[in-house]
Amino acid sequence: MVADVSGQHGGAIDAHARRRPRVVIIGAGVSGIASAITLQRSGFDDFVILEKGSDVGGVWHWNHYPGLTCDVPSHLYQFGFAPKPDWSQVFAPGPEIQEYLADVVDRFGLRPHVRVNAEVTAARFTGSGWVVETGDGTRYEADFVIAATGVLHHPAMPELPGLGEFTGEVLHTARWDDTVATDGRRIAVIGTGSTGVQVVSALQPKARQLTHFVRSPQWVIWAPMWLPQPAAIGVALERLPRVNRALYQAGMTGARLFTDVVTRPSWRRRAVQEYARLSLRAQVRDPRLRADLTPDYQPLCKRQVLSGSYYRALNARNADLVTDAIETVTPTGIRTADGRHHEFDLIVFATGFKAHNYMRPMNLTGREGLSIDEAWAKGPRAYRMTAIPGFPNLFTVLGPNSPTGSIPLHHAAEVTARYIAEWIKRWSAGEFDTVEVTETATARFESEVSDALEPTVWNTGCNSWYFTEAGTIDLLPFDRSTMETMLAAPEDVDFHLRTVPTDD
Ligand code: NAP
């Protein structure tokens, strides 16, 4: 078992002359779960999953704001190795996804490997492996580290002047407090990404007054997010696993269309964009409100928002849209740049995430003392989303340039985890002690990505969380088969493989 330094661990070579790798996985969300199960299926069982939260599930554990629904169809938003036939809705509600992930952890026997409330504060490369430390001072020795730390993890909270003086309640959607009352109250929601749109739709019906503060409007494509999946379909798919599998494959094939639409200009992209414009025109009749809700950039440029209820919520008598800049928060509300004062009992920040932090602020130190902050001084970078020069025997899953905006994420995590497992198999066979991607290969990958980002819709003139502070787009501009080919097998020429001399 991966153990803290004072404990026992599996040692080096077993009876079949295969080494038993010790692996620390950081994070028990979608990518951590995919990594653990992939290791298990490759025959490795000496791994520990260190999870900062009090339960598994990652983003689905942390987020439980009212209205949370996944806008990716449920049959695609699941692991290929753990199909769930009986989703309650075509677009599953958040708690059901969290239940699914917890159930997968149980079914695959991962619980004994998971340490919850175990935030990794430091990880240091020793020359042959890693020492990983959690907040309570526990240390783990590992041959490999898999950073499955997520993208949308650190809530972004704007520092609005006067916020500390507000006498009502303040919540960020990603740290929702279920004990805070919302019915019958005057609520401000700030931010209009997928989260803001969902929370406005959910809170408006029972709020006394709901005001949505929108700095830059988003295109909101109409979709029936509430569509139930009849129970009989779940029962039938349960009995017919092949049909269920075919449905998943059909979904994956359908998802190609989406990748195509966002990565290449075509009539298909224009058709989807026209549908976004129509969604606004058809649902918002008031010309002033419509003008206020019309973005000044192309549909699909930001992460596309889907909703069948947002515009209806804004059309309600108890709802208001405010596009004037927020000047200050006062003890009783918000003052906007036009001088108006809006009174509130509750301010909800739906202001998103610091999406490019990845494993930071962890104190991560690679070869020769290189820190991750130094390595990423110009923004996060990784060869094929997973390997970082200067950090041997460490891989990321859903790391920099992962296809968060274009390819089903569980699948991307599974493909990456299988790639990592291939390296670990070779370590186990004694081919090398450390593996580190070359700077040349990483720079080549970056250049390929940069060229391919050119014609993407993300690059058509909007500001979104896809952009890093350095102005690069942190997404994968390739289709699924290109991603699968990239990660099909390790290419030795792109890596330094080293053996570490032993004392004897
Ligand atoms: P987001 O898309 O980054 O949106 C943040 C919003 O907050 C933007 O409207 C932004 O305005 C606004 N904002 C930030 N700082 C502000 C300030 N100081 N004053 C006023 N407005 C401010 O965040 P998100 O909605 O949480 O979504 C993040 C991602 O999570 C999504 O894109 C999606 O990938 C994922 N998500 C998925 C689902 C799902 O159903 N699958 C649901 C929720 C979220 P500007 O645009 O002007 O910066």
Side-chain angles (χ1 to χ4, degrees):
M1 204 44 205
V2 175
D4 62 66
V5 173
S6 54
Q8 303 295 310
H9 62 78
I13 300 177
D14 72 13
H16 306 287
R18 284 207 166 283
R19 295 188 289 185
R20 186 173 174 225
R22 299 161 300 165
V23 185
V24 165
I25 299 169
I26 308 174
V30 165
S31 45
I33 295 169
S35 303
I37 293 172
T38 306
L39 287 180
Q40 247 180 4
R41 290 153 70 100
S42 306
F44 304 127
D45 60 1
D46 195 357
F47 60 87
V48 67
I49 310 171
L50 302 177
E51 168 54 53
K52 160 182 170 179
S54 61
D55 199 359
V56 301
V59 79
W60 298 102
H61 162 70
W62 291 103
N63 283 268
H64 43 94
Y65 59 80
L68 175 62
T69 308
C70 184
D71 57 14
V72 178
S74 317
H75 283 276
L76 273 187
Y77 204 79
Q78 57 179 350
F79 298 113
F81 53 74
K84 175 176 161 63
D86 60 344
W87 291 101
S88 67
Q89 295 185 183
V90 172
F91 301 95
E96 190 175 352
I97 298 172
Q98 167 62 0
E99 238 172 73
Y100 163 75
L101 293 171
D103 177 58
V104 169
V105 165
D106 289 331
R107 268 196 291 146
F108 284 81
L110 294 184
R111 286 280 172 194
H113 297 268
V114 179
R115 308 283 176 273
V116 294
N117 302 313
E119 178 171 8
V120 174
T121 50
R124 183 174 53 83
F125 182 65
T126 60
S128 58
W130 287 86
V131 174
V132 178
E133 196 169 322
T134 51
D136 64 0
T138 310
R139 298 170 80 212
Y140 299 84
E141 276 188 349
D143 301 302
F144 287 89
V145 169
I146 299 178
T149 46
V151 184
L152 303 171
H153 175 52
H154 299 280
M157 187 77 177
E159 288 175 16
L160 298 181
L163 185 58
E165 314 301 317
F166 183 60
T167 52
E169 279 156 309
V170 175
L171 290 174
H172 190 286
T173 47
R175 296 291 180 272
W176 196 262
D177 178 349
D178 299 315
T179 64
V180 171
T182 54
D183 292 1
R185 304 187 79 191
R186 296 166 304 174
I187 306 171
V189 176
I190 302 174
T192 186
S194 305
T195 307
V197 162
Q198 290 184 352
V199 85
V200 163
S201 306
L203 295 183
Q204 171 273 321
K206 292 194 174 168
R208 183 167 138 209
Q209 170 68 32
L210 186 139
T211 304
H212 195 191
F213 287 85
V214 168
R215 185 166 68 180
S216 1
Q218 290 250 38
W219 292 104
V220 180
I221 282 186
W222 185 89
M225 306 303 296
W226 55 83
L227 207 64
Q229 176 183 299
I233 291 187
V235 172
L237 292 177
E238 184 100 58
R239 290 200 187 134
L240 302 166
R242 279 191 181 185
V243 176
N244 196 24
R245 182 86 202 149
L247 182 70
Y248 175 74
Q249 289 304 347
M252 293 292 274
T253 305
R256 279 189 186 167
L257 180 64
F258 181 69
T259 314
D260 168 65
V261 160
V262 289
T263 53
R264 285 190 300 179
S266 67
W267 67 266
R268 295 175 293 283
R269 179 188 290 178
R270 288 194 298 279
V272 177
Q273 291 179 321
E274 201 41 54
Y275 177 59
R277 294 188 183 99
L278 177 66
S279 296
L280 173 61
R281 275 203 307 275
Q283 293 177 86
V284 181
R285 298 284 175 189
D286 174 357
R288 207 170 139 207
L289 182 60
R290 194 193 291 170
D292 282 347
L293 285 168
T294 304
D296 59 3
Y297 54 85
Q298 293 187 27
L300 298 166
C301 184
K302 296 191 186 216
R303 162 60 158 81
Q304 186 56 51
V305 179
L306 270 64
S307 175
S309 50
Y310 172 67
Y311 290 137
R312 194 176 56 215
L314 279 190
N315 281 324
R317 277 166 190 253
N318 65 341
D320 241 347
L321 177 78
V322 173
T323 52
D324 298 292
I326 295 172
E327 197 172 77
T328 183
V329 179
T330 70
T332 56
I334 291 176
R335 189 177 308 288
T336 39
D338 60 351
R340 277 169 70 201
H341 185 259
H342 313 256
E343 303 255 323
F344 297 113
D345 307 307
L346 169 64
I347 301 177
V348 173
F349 284 87
T351 43
F353 300 86
K354 296 172 191 159
H356 314 288
N357 275 13
Y358 296 101
M359 47 277 213
R360 296 173 291 177
M362 181 193 305
N363 185 4
L364 183 67
T365 315
R367 189 168 46 76
E368 291 163 14
L370 177 71
S371 77
I372 192 69
D373 288 336
E374 286 163 351
W376 283 0
K378 291 187 187 153
R381 61 196 293 259
Y383 166 89
R384 298 184 183 177
M385 311 171 287
T386 189
I388 308 167
F391 293 81
N393 291 20
L394 178 137
F395 293 94
T396 55
V397 180
L398 299 187
N401 289 110
S402 284
T404 40
S406 54
I407 298 175
L409 273 190
H410 294 59
H411 180 70
E414 286 174 46
V415 168
T416 312
R418 285 200 293 268
Y419 173 82
I420 298 167
E422 286 309 310
W423 277 121
I424 297 181
K425 280 181 200 165
R426 291 178 56 183
W427 179 94
S428 174
E431 281 188 39
F432 59 85
D433 293 321
T434 66
V435 51
E436 177 188 344
V437 69
T438 65
E439 173 55 42
T440 310
T442 308
R444 192 189 63 230
F445 174 70
E446 279 185 301
S447 157
E448 287 164 6
V449 165
S450 169
D451 289 349
L453 278 166
E454 222 18 65
T456 66
V457 74
W458 313 309
N459 192 29
T460 53
C462 64
N463 176 27
S464 74
W465 65 261
Y466 292 157
F467 282 86
T468 65
E469 280 176 14
T472 57
I473 298 174
D474 190 1
L475 288 174
L476 191 75
F478 305 122
D479 61 13
R480 176 162 61 91
S481 55
T482 307
M483 177 189 76
E484 287 168 350
T485 306
M486 272 179 181
L487 296 173
E491 285 177 45
D492 289 13
V493 65
D494 290 342
F495 288 84
H496 300 294
L497 303 181
R498 300 187 177 102
T499 50
V500 178
T502 50
D503 292 341
D504 43 38

